[in-house]
């Protein structure tokens, strides 16, 4: 149950190789005046990556893979919202396309952060939300993190096949990131 500003595992190309690292969710660009900008930069729209100054330079050599077991989305239900869990039907981890950057803290230490790239929703997500994370197949993941060709990288950012995914309602305990247990992704009836 990872929320923005929390650390999470990513694979990034560092020091000549793809490495598993822990970065903070919420992009803080190297040029930012303070860390709070990360609260507003948790996602980046695939359609505008090559245009937005915050993402354009990262697209060339600061792409990363965000590793997860699935993701939450909230569907409208009357006046409230119901949390839902989306995952791969085969139970394998999901890989999201991401961008990362390093920001120098006032004490001189480096803070590495990331944003998740989003795209249009597939048929499973469309009734729930107008965006979804840009999920990558194993082959596309390697091209995203290690490839040099920006045009090809951008072509990978499309809705993931709905027939490979499953989604269901979960408990509202997920609304508190301190609740980080398997109960957060257990299906609820009704």
């Amino acid at each position: 149950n990872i929320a923005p500003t929390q650390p999470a595992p990513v694979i990034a190309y560092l020091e000549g190789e793809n490495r598993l690292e822990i970065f903070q969710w919420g992009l803080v660009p190297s040029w930012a005046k303070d860390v709070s900008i990360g609260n507003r930069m948790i996602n980046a729209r695939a359609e505008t990556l090559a245009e937005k100054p915050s993402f354009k330079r990262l697209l060339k050599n600061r792409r990363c893979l965000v590793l997860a077991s699935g993701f939450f989305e909230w569907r409208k239900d009357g006046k409230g919202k119901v949390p839902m869990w989306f995952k791969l039907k085969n139970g394998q981890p999901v890989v999201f396309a991401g961008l990362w950057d390093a920001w120098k803290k006032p004490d001189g230490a480096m803070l590495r952060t990331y944003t998740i790239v989003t795209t249009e929703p597939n048929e499973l997500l469309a009734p729930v939300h107008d965006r979804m994370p840009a999920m990558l197949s194993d082959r596309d993941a390697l091209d995203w993190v290690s490839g040099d060709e920006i045009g090809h990288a951008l072509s990978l950012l499309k809705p993931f096949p709905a027939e490979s995914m499953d989604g269901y309602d979960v408990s509202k305990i997920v609304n508190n990131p301190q609740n980080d247990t398997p109960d957060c992704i257990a299906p609820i009836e009704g």
Side-chain angles (χ1 to χ4, degrees), residues 139-162:
R139 173 180 282 166
D140 289 349
L142 287 175
D143 284 353
W144 174 257
V145 76
S146 301
D148 290 331
E149 221 292 300
I150 291 175
H152 176 65
L154 290 172
S155 76
L156 305 174
L157 306 175
K158 55 190 180 270
F160 201 79

Side-chain angles (χ1 to χ4, degrees), residues 88-139:
L88 294 180
K89 282 184 179 176
N90 65 12
Q92 293 295 309
V94 297
V95 178
F96 306 135
L99 298 173
W100 71 276
D101 208 353
W103 182 74
K104 191 172 183 178
K105 295 180 180 181
D107 67 3
M110 294 305 288
L111 173 66
R112 290 189 174 138
T113 62
Y114 70 92
T115 187
I116 295 173
V117 178
T118 65
T119 189
E120 294 179 5
N122 61 24
E123 301 82 27
L124 180 64
L125 268 289
V128 179
H129 202 275
D130 65 347
R131 305 294 297 166
M132 71 176 290
M135 298 167 55
L136 301 168
S137 67
D138 292 346
R139 173 180 282 166

Side-chain angles (χ1 to χ4, degrees), residues 11-19 61 63-64 100 145-146:
I11 295 174
Y13 190 77
L14 293 167
E15 299 171 14
E17 64 182 347
N18 290 329
R19 296 174 37 175
N61 59 10
R63 298 189 298 253
C64 66
W100 71 276
V145 76
S146 301

Side-chain angles (χ1 to χ4, degrees), residues 56-68:
K56 186 176 182 177
R57 67 181 180 79
L58 304 179
L59 189 55
K60 179 144 179 71
N61 59 10
R62 293 251 169 131
R63 298 189 298 253
C64 66
L65 303 173
V66 181
L67 309 175

